[in-house]
Every structure is written in C-alpha cells, then in structure tokens.
C-alpha cells in the first residue's frame, strides 16, 4: 500500500498555508512570519502548532482562532490551490491500495482533493491526524491508516514532503519516499528529507511509479 501525505505532496499548498497562518497569527497579536511558520510547523497538526505557540508566547490564542484559521485556509484553497505537477498522471498509473494520511483536518483534506480533481483516486480512504493521539513525527497516523486499510505496516510505502512526516513513516516501520518537488521545497530540502530517514528522494511525480516499483523489490 502507498500512503500519501496531502499538503506539499498531492497539492501545492504549503506557501498558501504559510501566508494565511502567518496573517491570522499576526491579527491575533502573535508575531509569526510565513518563514517561521514554514520552518517550524510544516507537516505538523494545527493543534500541536497552537500549543507550541501558546507555550512560547506565554499566553492563549483567542477562543475562536482554530475555526477562523480553518475557514481562511479553506477560502484561500478554493481560490488558489493547485494540484502538484504530474500528480494525477502518477496516481492513474499506480496499482494497488492507496490512501491519504495528513496532519490536516478531514474537511481540509477532502476540499484539497476535490478542488484539484484528485479525490476520485482515494475516496473514502482519507485519514487525519486529528483521529490519533499523537501527530507527526510520531508514527500514530500512519499506523492508524495501515490498520484501517488492513495492511501490515512493513508493506507500506509513505510519500512525504516534510522531515517530520518522513520521521513518522520511519518510526512506523515503513519505507519512505521523500518528495521535494513542491514550490516550497528549496535545494536544502533534499538533504533534510534524507537526514530524516527517507529511503529515496524525488523531485518530480513522474518518477513516482518507478521509485515505488524499486522499493517494492527491496
């Protein structure tokens, strides 16, 4: 089975998210730039991000912050979200079971895939880190997805774009493909994904099928 992260892998969302998250934190009186958001929170659950920010700032976020932020992200996605180049082609040729396991909430996952035309490849196999106790880099989400799909974790391949996501896949005992082809992925990302434990790193979705075939042969 192949388990896909959503943000930064299937959809080119990370720059949009960083902009919206930074703007809403600024409005709430928390000085987080898009660069800080991207550096420290890419791949992580919103709830974990909120907790870390509150601890660092020594004060609480507004009670409705999570709802406001989610609504603003969804609004931005409806207007500007784009599919990752060649993702649909790669998925069309990929045989065997597959699912999406993302740190985002299930509504955001579904909207992301609907907006970009990818939902047909995965519905109903969508899993959110809100369903498990610990978010990435803990292995909980990937192990949850494997259990729900009734596949042994050792027979799973994870496709991830963040070091915390790669670390989660490795901790789950799965083979991991690092993807550094999103618009947010600079030259340093390849080494960061390798350092986190990725078995292979690719920069183009057209390389996905061959890479998966190779990993299945290991």
């Amino acid at each position: 089975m192949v388990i896909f992260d959503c943000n930064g892998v299937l959809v080119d969302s990370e720059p949009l998210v960083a902009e919206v998250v930074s703007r809403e934190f600024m409005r709430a009186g928390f000085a987080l730039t898009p660069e800080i958001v991207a550096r420290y929170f890419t791949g992580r659950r919103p709830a974990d991000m909120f907790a870390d920010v509150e601890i660092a700032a020594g004060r609480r976020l507004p009670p409705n912050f999570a709802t406001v932020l989610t609504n603003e992200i969804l609004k931005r996605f409806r207007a500007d979200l784009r599919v990752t180049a060649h993702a649909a082609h790669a998925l069309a040729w990929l045989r065997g079971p597959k699912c999406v396991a993302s740190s985002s909430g299930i509504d955001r996952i579904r909207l992301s895939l609907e907006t970009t035309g990818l939902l047909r490849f995965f519905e109903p196999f969508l899993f959110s880190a809100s369903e498990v106790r610990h978010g990435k880099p803990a292995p909980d989400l990937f192990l949850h997805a494997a259990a729900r799909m009734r596949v042994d974790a050792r027979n799973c391949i994870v496709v991830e774009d963040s070091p915390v996501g790669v670390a989660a896949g490795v901790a789950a005992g799965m083979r991991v493909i690092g993807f550094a082809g999103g618009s947010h992925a600079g030259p340093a990302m390849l080494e960061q994904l390798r350092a986190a434990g990725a078995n292979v790193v690719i920069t183009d979705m057209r390389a996905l099928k061959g890479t998966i075939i190779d990993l299945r042969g290991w």
Side-chain angles (χ1 to χ4, degrees), residues 77-119:
F77 278 13
R78 291 187 186 101
D80 297 323
L81 186 63
R82 299 292 180 267
V83 65
T84 296
H86 310 296
H89 175 81
L91 293 170
W93 286 97
L94 184 60
R95 300 294 178 260
K98 51 186 174 289
C99 67
V100 173
S102 170
S103 292
S104 299
I106 197 69
D107 290 343
R108 179 170 148 189
I109 297 169
R110 183 169 284 108
L111 176 69
S112 297
L113 298 175
E114 285 178 341
T115 300
T116 55
L118 300 181
L119 186 61

Side-chain angles (χ1 to χ4, degrees), residues 64-85:
N64 65 339
F65 185 80
T67 299
V68 171
L69 179 59
T70 296
N71 290 338
E72 290 301 313
I73 290 174
L74 296 182
K75 184 189 302 182
R76 184 67 184 275
F77 278 13
R78 291 187 186 101
D80 297 323
L81 186 63
R82 299 292 180 267
V83 65
T84 296

Side-chain angles (χ1 to χ4, degrees), residues 121-156:
F121 293 108
F122 298 104
E123 188 80 75
F125 305 120
L126 311 177
F127 304 104
S128 167
S130 61
E131 301 167 11
V132 297
R133 183 172 183 181
H134 301 292
K136 302 171 186 178
D140 300 33
L141 175 58
F142 292 139
L143 293 175
H144 171 67
R148 289 286 302 274
M149 298 289 286
R150 299 184 179 182
V151 177
D152 191 302
R154 293 170 296 181
N155 295 326
C156 295

Side-chain angles (χ1 to χ4, degrees), residues 172-191:
M174 301 175 180
R175 288 160 290 177
V176 183
I177 298 172
F179 178 68
S183 61
H184 67 294
M189 182 59 70
L190 281 78
E191 186 51 42

Side-chain angles (χ1 to χ4, degrees), residues 5 7 14 17-18 21-22 25 30-57 61 65 69 73 102-104 108 135-137 160-165 184 189:
D5 180 37
N7 305 305
E14 297 296 9
V17 172
V21 170
S22 172
F25 270 121
F30 295 77
L32 272 72
T33 65
E35 292 74 21
I36 290 174
V37 172
R39 178 180 300 175
Y40 294 104
F41 301 117
T42 295
R44 299 187 61 202
R45 292 190 300 192
D48 296 334
M49 174 176 65
F50 300 155
D52 283 358
V53 170
E54 288 181 336
I55 291 171
L61 288 159
F65 185 80
L69 179 59
I73 290 174
S102 170
S103 292
S104 299
R108 179 170 148 189
K136 302 171 186 178
E160 265 285 356
D161 72 305
S162 69
V164 295
H184 67 294
M189 182 59 70

